[in-house]
Amino acid sequence: MLMDGLVKGVLMLVLGAAFTWTLVNAFEQRARELGVSFLDTADAYGMGQNETLVGQALKGIRDKAVLATKFGQVTREGKSGVDGTPENVRQACDGSLKRLGVDVIDLYYQHRVDPAVPIEETVGAMAEAVQAGKVRYLGLSEASMESLRRACTVHPISALQSEWSLWSRDIEGDILATCRKLGMAVMAYSPLGRGFLTGTIKSTDALGEKDGRRNMPRFKPENIGQNAALLSRLEQMAVDKGVTVSQVALAWVHAQGEDVFPIPGTKRVAYLEQNVSSCEVSLTEEEKNALGLWFSQNVAAGTRYPEPAMKGLGI
């Protein structure tokens, strides 16, 4: 099983074309020193450039990493969309293998389910990649309960990647129950709420002028103040435990089960070290329940994506 090859909580998400090869290499080296074994990227990150950088950092150490990438989000003629056609699956897989410089991808995700293509057709083409030895395990990202079930009739799905944090709990309920019934790992992306759960973003002014989060409803001026008010008790718990706010937030995700793997992204080694150390932060049942109550489902003001993007999520 895929979960047998993963180390609880010791995961890294390398994002952004802004990384240089030198930075990725140094970052990856420190990650390995800390016990990180999992790297997650996608062909959409930096229009493929991120895969190239990750591949360069993996030279000579491929056998020490669990490598995941995603396909399906495309930009054509200046327009962004989703393509889950079998033809695109085959082309995208070969493209990722070439950019990563590897013979096999450990975990291959469909980045978003394509509503115009039956999930059975997409997964059928992904299964061909497994049969050809190009991919070891299959995954879906932000898929609905129905899509997960239908996909599994074609080929086992080993993991669902979905946003999950104290701030975004949409997955809890039928989707999480379906994952567990079908034996899927849950890869929780943005477990720090895109930085909100670090306690450092309490107004839109904390974001740079070109920061993409300015376009996300929860970070809009009309919502960020109400959301920032949620942080006070989380911050106090962190003080009481002698850890950072982000470490408490990550510890909560870790505590959701042995099948849950948070993949926090960072561009700074210091934050990488802090994130890995969150594995050592334990929460009592009372603390875990208190956090769940303070950050109850739907308590956040604003949706996590703008409305058009929300329509592409399987929730």
Side-chain angles (χ1 to χ4, degrees):
M1 291 179 62
L2 171 66
M3 282 185 276
D4 295 336
L6 298 178
V7 179
K8 174 69 173 179
V10 187
L11 308 176
M12 177 175 69
L13 179 62
V14 179
L15 289 174
F19 275 94
T20 64
W21 178 83
T22 301
L23 179 57
V24 170
N25 194 49
F27 197 83
E28 202 279 333
Q29 181 177 344
R30 179 58 180 143
R32 282 189 288 116
E33 291 171 354
L34 294 169
V36 173
S37 62
F38 182 89
L39 291 93
D40 182 287
T41 184
D43 63 3
Y45 299 160
M47 301 293 288
Q49 185 179 355
N50 190 245
E51 287 185 324
T52 300
L53 292 172
V54 170
Q56 290 172 335
L58 282 175
K59 286 182 178 179
I61 56 168
R62 173 64 182 92
D63 61 336
K64 294 179 173 61
V66 178
L67 178 61
T69 193
K70 299 179 283 293
F71 77 93
Q73 288 193 329
V74 297
T75 300
R76 293 169 181 157
E77 299 180 353
K79 295 182 179 181
S80 298
V82 179
D83 188 344
T85 61
E87 293 78 13
N88 186 56
V89 174
R90 299 181 188 107
Q91 292 175 7
C93 184
D94 288 343
S96 289
L97 287 167
K98 183 177 180 179
R99 286 186 294 272
L100 290 164
V102 299
D103 296 324
V104 61
I105 296 164
D106 295 311
L107 175 58
Y108 197 46
Y109 292 102
Q110 182 181 21
H111 211 149
R112 291 291 186 272
V113 173
D114 186 345
V117 179
I119 190 67
E120 292 86 353
E121 292 185 15
T122 303
V123 174
M126 294 168 71
E128 291 175 6
V130 176
Q131 294 162 3
K134 299 177 180 181
V135 171
R136 290 194 172 100
Y137 299 99
L138 302 183
L140 299 178
S141 180
E142 293 286 11
S144 68
M145 175 180 65
E146 180 185 2
S147 292
L148 291 171
R149 288 176 172 172
R150 287 169 54 191
C152 284
T153 65
V154 179
H155 190 278
I157 302 298
S158 296
L160 172 70
Q161 186 171 130
S162 185
E163 184 171 353
W164 194 9
S165 70
L166 282 167
W167 206 24
S168 299
R169 301 178 60 185
D170 303 328
I171 190 176
E172 296 175 34
D174 290 343
I175 294 177
L176 181 59
T178 299
C179 288
R180 286 178 166 158
K181 182 177 180 180
L182 296 173
M184 298 178 195
V186 178
M187 320 303 282
Y189 77 81
S190 293
L192 293 175
R194 294 180 172 79
F196 173 77
L197 293 171
T198 66
T200 60
I201 304 172
K202 297 185 178 180
S203 73
T204 306
D205 293 337
L207 302 173
E209 289 298 322
K210 295 183 179 180
D211 194 311
R213 288 172 290 188
R214 283 180 172 268
N215 298 318
M216 295 184 171
R218 291 182 179 178
F219 291 94
K220 294 284 188 180
E222 62 269 25
N223 292 325
I224 190 66
Q226 180 178 334
N227 289 327
L230 299 170
L231 292 170
S232 59
R233 288 184 285 192
L234 176 62
E235 291 170 327
Q236 186 58 54
M237 182 180 288
V239 170
D240 293 342
K241 296 180 75 66
V243 298
T244 67
V245 176
S246 60
Q247 286 175 323
V248 173
L250 282 174
W252 181 85
V253 181
H254 287 306
Q256 300 310 302
E258 293 298 319
D259 54 351
V260 180
F261 300 87
I263 47 175
T266 180
K267 296 178 181 179
R268 300 184 184 181
V269 170
Y271 293 159
L272 168 68
E273 293 170 343
Q274 190 178 107
N275 291 342
V276 172
S277 294
S278 70
C279 300
E280 302 170 7
V281 177
S282 60
L283 299 174
T284 66
E285 200 65 27
E286 182 180 5
E287 289 171 332
K288 185 171 72 171
N289 291 338
L291 287 167
L293 180 63
W294 299 339
F295 288 85
S296 58
Q297 290 192 43
N298 303 317
V299 72
T303 54
R304 53 190 173 105
Y305 288 110
E307 189 57 35
M310 288 297 295
K311 293 179 180 179
L313 304 181
I315 58 174

